[in-house]
Amino acid sequence: MDHQEPSVRHFDHCPWLFAAEATEEQRLAQRKRQRAIGGDVEIGERCYVAESAAVFPDRLRLGAGSYIAAHAYVTGELAAGADCTLNPFTTVRGAVSLGDGVRIGAHTSLLGFNHSMDPDRPVHRQPLTSRGIKVGDDVWIGSHVVVVDGVTLGDHCVIGAGAVVTKDLPAWTVAAGNPARPIRDRRDTAPAPAGGTDLSRIADTARAQAPDLLARCWDGERYVDRPGAAPTVRAHCDAVEIADLLLGAAPGQLTTDEHSGRLAALQDPATGLVPEFGASLPDDGFPSEGAALYHVLCVGYALNLLGVALPHPVRGVQHMTASQLVARLDELPWRDNAWGAGAWIDAWATAAHGNLRRPHGGGTQPGALEALFGWLLTRADPWTGMWGVPSPGAGRLQVVNGYYRLTRGSFAQFGLPVPHPERVVDAVLDHARDTRYFGAGQENACNVLDVAHPLWLCTRQLGTGSGAAGYRTAEIRAWAERQLALALPRWRDGRGFGFGPGTAGPGPEPGLQGTEMWLAIIWLLADLLGRSDELGYHPRGIHRPEAARRGAEDQRHPEQGPRL
């Protein structure tokens, strides 16, 4: 056999040549090699198992035309379809299933098992667990990749060299990085958007500059949106949101307890509302408009981030009966101010949610929440999935922006499905083509957020999020890519994001409100593209994408002292 040694080594490292170039003697030797594996083994035609490969399976299935190359290490249960390749120095252990046409690069590991790591004993004495790895058809896994136990890779995926895959990836995903993140859809032949490095860079920049940005907006006593502006309640809440998002802590100008104490002290015990600095509260139990409505949202969520609850329930919501609520809903300005109507529902539902999650009670009147959602479900326009009507002067602006506010506080916050999600996507994408609001230089944070969140909410409900194929996915992704490309350059070093043009909001100058909103918008846009992991942050406050928890286990009252 000495005269065949070079050829055997050659085939071990280049097994794809074996079927065409091997001599009959070499083919006999290969069949002997395959029989020597022993155990529960089924190997198809035109397969090759390298002499130098360490193949000790409990169960092995190789489809026709598959091979295991030099120095591969295979144990456990491997089921591979036709035309699969385990290139030199690959490791496949545990329970691993490969479809047809799977290419695995050199030095890659598929580890379909894991150790426990309970603290009661050394790791080497811990029991093994195995959920297995499943790989679909037509998948290319590059060199030096690690795929951990429990992961499923959909059909047609491509995994870049050096990636560490810790989560499932849907079909057609191109992914890379540690941990692996989706880069694009393989079917999209257009160049990838200004890549993950841009997202990582803006997040790292914002994180590094956040302390100075917050200090810039502290006037020595209170927070202002930007230098020269008057202190506002919202500015303090925006500061808390930004610090939590980027730093995972309270703003450094005060201690956590000082922040929560100041914000909690702003609440009026008699009404449960928070007025603006120097302003009085309206006479009615729950106002129709004004800063006190938004403060229900921003103060409540800021306190949640600080680990406490509002000290008092919102009385106007607590005492409003179902019939009174329906009467108020009927009276809202749906025809000429759908945004205002949506903002009122956002505040009412958020107050109800806050009342329900209070450690010591509060809640709502019997049937009030059922009346809210019943009214909304029966009044939604089945052609748009929305409430209100467009106008010649403003187009869909009021309707779409009102939809965001309404669903944010009600359906999204309570974790309930919205009605007619496909029609909502249609209406929102139609609005997003309106150049009055989305033309060159016209985008502001409010208008972009009020498109991004409904698209995010509906795609998740339809099961088409994070790059999965589905209802108008290509259009949604194209819009998100464009808005993301426009948003990232808006950052101003040391000052953050400006809100943007238009009569609403604080204007184009960088400040706390613009920074808080654009950071949340960027996350939503990135998540629509399946790339939000690249940012390294996730909104938890007023712009959190998921439903808010109703339990009070993570909260305390200011008078209860710091958490341990």
Side-chain angles (χ1 to χ4, degrees), residues 199 202 206 234 238 242 245-246 437-438 441-450 452 479-480 482-492 496-501 506-526 535 537 539 543:
L199 286 179
I202 191 64
R234 177 169 184 160
D238 286 336
I242 292 167
L245 194 68
L246 297 177
Y437 314 113
F438 298 95
Q442 297 302 309
E443 298 94 345
N444 64 40
C446 182
N447 292 343
V448 177
L449 173 65
D450 295 357
W479 182 85
R482 178 179 183 276
Q483 292 301 323
L484 197 58
L486 293 171
L488 298 184
R490 291 190 175 108
W491 179 268
R492 296 293 176 262
F497 287 107
F499 176 85
E509 288 301 312
L512 295 179
Q513 181 178 338
T515 300
E516 188 276 321
M517 291 185 71
W518 279 111
L519 288 172
I521 291 165
I522 287 168
W523 188 94
L524 287 167
L525 295 171
L535 292 166
Y537 67 75
H543 293 122

Side-chain angles (χ1 to χ4, degrees), residues 118-483:
D118 296 329
D120 61 340
R121 71 189 83 172
V123 171
H124 75 277
R125 294 182 179 174
Q126 298 279 349
L128 296 179
T129 60
S130 178
R131 293 182 292 161
I133 293 170
K134 296 180 180 179
V135 180
D137 298 333
D138 181 37
V139 174
W140 176 18
I141 303 175
S143 298
H144 294 277
V145 170
V146 176
V147 182
V148 303
D149 188 35
V151 165
T152 295
L153 303 181
D155 296 343
H156 317 295
C157 284
V158 174
I159 312 301
V164 177
V165 187
T166 61
K167 296 180 180 178
D168 294 353
L169 294 173
W172 296 102
T173 299
V174 179
N178 180 6
R181 303 180 178 97
I183 296 173
R184 63 180 179 89
D185 189 306
R186 183 177 158 193
R187 294 165 294 187
D188 183 359
T189 57
T197 54
D198 280 353
L199 286 179
S200 300
R201 185 162 59 247
I202 191 64
D204 291 343
T205 298
R207 202 170 287 114
Q209 296 181 12
D212 290 340
L213 186 152
L214 294 168
R216 172 179 179 265
C217 295
W218 173 255
D219 70 0
E221 293 292 332
R222 292 185 290 193
Y223 287 97
V224 298
D225 181 70
R226 57 200 180 280
T232 61
V233 174
R234 177 169 184 160
H236 194 157
C237 298
D238 286 336
V240 171
E241 294 257 3
I242 292 167
D244 180 84
L245 194 68
L246 297 177
L247 305 175
Q253 287 68 44
L254 301 170
T255 67
T256 299
D257 285 347
E258 287 171 336
H259 281 290
S260 60
R262 282 197 180 192
L263 289 172
L266 298 175
Q267 189 185 30
D268 173 45
T271 64
L273 298 173
V274 176
E276 187 55 87
F277 295 132
S280 59
L281 289 170
D283 293 334
D284 55 346
F286 196 72
S288 297
E289 57 185 10
L293 276 184
Y294 194 79
H295 293 168
V296 170
L297 281 61
C298 67
V299 176
Y301 270 94
L303 285 173
N304 293 162
L305 294 176
L306 295 167
V308 303
L310 281 164
H312 311 287
V314 180
R315 311 291 183 183
V317 171
Q318 181 185 23
H319 299 306
M320 189 178 294
T321 66
S323 59
Q324 290 171 334
L325 173 59
V326 169
R328 290 291 292 268
L329 293 172
D330 287 337
E331 294 169 357
L332 292 174
W334 295 107
R335 182 163 294 276
D336 57 1
N337 186 10
W339 179 89
W344 190 90
I345 291 176
D346 189 2
W348 194 97
T350 299
H353 195 284
N355 285 355
L356 288 168
R357 66 186 290 176
R358 287 175 45 75
H360 304 297
T364 60
Q365 291 294 304
L369 276 174
E370 291 80 0
L372 172 68
F373 286 103
W375 193 97
L376 292 173
L377 288 169
T378 56
R379 301 305 198 281
D381 180 353
W383 292 100
T384 65
M386 298 188 171
W387 299 266
V389 293
S391 68
R396 294 188 184 272
L397 181 67
Q398 287 281 333
V399 177
V400 171
N401 289 13
Y403 180 89
Y404 161 67
R405 288 295 305 272
L406 185 156
T407 55
R408 191 220 73 85
S410 57
F411 293 95
Q413 186 166 217
F414 281 83
L416 299 174
V418 297
H420 315 297
E422 294 95 340
R423 303 293 76 76
V424 173
V425 171
D426 292 341
V428 168
L429 288 176
D430 179 69
H431 170 62
R433 290 191 290 268
D434 192 328
T435 56
R436 290 173 292 181
Y437 314 113
F438 298 95
Q442 297 302 309
E443 298 94 345
N444 64 40
C446 182
N447 292 343
V448 177
L449 173 65
D450 295 357
V451 169
H453 187 272
L455 290 177
W456 187 94
L457 188 64
C458 291
T459 54
R460 292 322 178 269
Q461 187 169 319
L462 293 167
T464 58
S466 297
Y471 189 71
R472 301 189 70 172
T473 298
E475 295 166 84
I476 293 170
R477 287 174 57 85
W479 182 85
E481 287 178 359
R482 178 179 183 276
Q483 292 301 323

Side-chain angles (χ1 to χ4, degrees), residues 77-128:
E77 298 184 2
L78 170 62
D83 301 308
C84 291
T85 64
L86 276 66
N87 277 299
F89 297 97
T90 58
T91 295
V92 178
R93 304 191 65 195
V96 177
S97 172
L98 309 178
D100 295 330
V102 176
R103 292 292 192 262
I104 302 176
H107 299 278
T108 282
S109 297
L110 276 64
L111 305 176
F113 73 101
N114 206 347
H115 276 282
S116 298
M117 54 179 181
D118 296 329
D120 61 340
R121 71 189 83 172
V123 171
H124 75 277
R125 294 182 179 174
Q126 298 279 349
L128 296 179

